[in-house]
Amino acid sequence: MKIRLELERKHKYLIQSLLSCVFIYITTQNVVSLTKWHIGVLMVILVVSGSYVSHYPNIHKENFLVSVLMPLGVLSGALLSLHFFPNLSFIFKLLVIAFFGFVYYLVSLSDNIFLVVHDREETIPLYRVAVTWSQILQVVVAIPLFAGIFKINTNAFVQCFLVSFFSFLCAYYQLWIYQFDQDAKRTGVGEILFLSFSTFFFMYVTTFAVSFFPTEAFLRASFSSSVLLFALSYISGHLKNEISRKMIVGYLVIILVSLITLLVFTS
């Protein structure tokens, strides 16, 4: 019976991912004429209703935000990137949409594990695997989302704020998923806010610093995502007391390589 319920839940995530692919295709290929506000409202309705149906009964008001954060990030990144990068072949667009659907499915699976752990207040065997994959998925989601944000026709202050705000939410999400890790230190509200706002500040400063270079939005997004990867890894290391010089140097090298690539390809 337990196996059957698990399969049914996986089917829910698969259906939700397919619906997200259909939504991305309809809104980005102009199948139906919709305004930006209509698209935004429909996206929120799709994510909220889909998350509630697929995660029930583990979804509650105290974990509602973290259950919709990554799915909203996936769809927002898909819509923005496909809108601002229209010069792609039809076949390649379909592959990109399928990729976002696959990421949506993985995000849903990871969120389900965290919600189950949160509901039971104890870890399960798949928890540590989900934690590792979650950090990777956050960066994967951030790259197209940041690239789309950097293409929005607004000033650098607003662009950097949007990127930093999403990073702030990712930091909070990262802290939330470590709540029931027995090897991680317990964090209070003050420390959670401090680490989240520190991530916001660090992301804003670094993102704004490279906004003066005339380079492609994708390269700026790759650089910002590498900084986000460092911030999330630092938070994880802080919680598990695993911060080392080797770890910091390794991630700084990744950031440096991204920065050099950005500078080399400035137009």
Side-chain angles (χ1 to χ4, degrees), residues 21-36 39 78-79 82-87 90 93-94 97:
C21 289
V22 173
F23 175 76
I24 295 170
Y25 178 82
I26 290 175
T27 52
T28 57
Q29 302 306 305
N30 298 321
V31 176
V32 180
S33 180
L34 296 170
T35 65
K36 296 178 181 178
I39 293 174
L79 297 181
L82 288 172
H83 174 74
F84 288 114
F85 297 92
N87 299 324
F90 180 73
K93 285 182 180 179
L94 291 181
I97 292 174

Side-chain angles (χ1 to χ4, degrees), residues 188-244:
V189 176
E191 188 172 7
I192 291 174
L193 290 176
F194 174 77
L195 292 172
S196 299
F197 276 109
S198 296
T199 301
F200 178 94
F201 177 77
F202 189 47
M203 288 295 299
Y204 194 96
V205 170
T206 54
T207 303
F208 188 76
V210 299
S211 65
F212 296 98
F213 299 104
T215 188
E216 294 294 332
F218 179 78
L219 294 176
R220 290 178 61 190
S222 298
F223 170 75
S224 298
S225 298
S226 67
V227 178
L228 176 61
L229 176 62
F230 170 76
L232 296 178
S233 300
Y234 184 87
I235 290 175
S236 299
H238 169 72
L239 294 177
K240 304 194 72 172
N241 196 26
E242 294 177 350
I243 297 177
S244 64

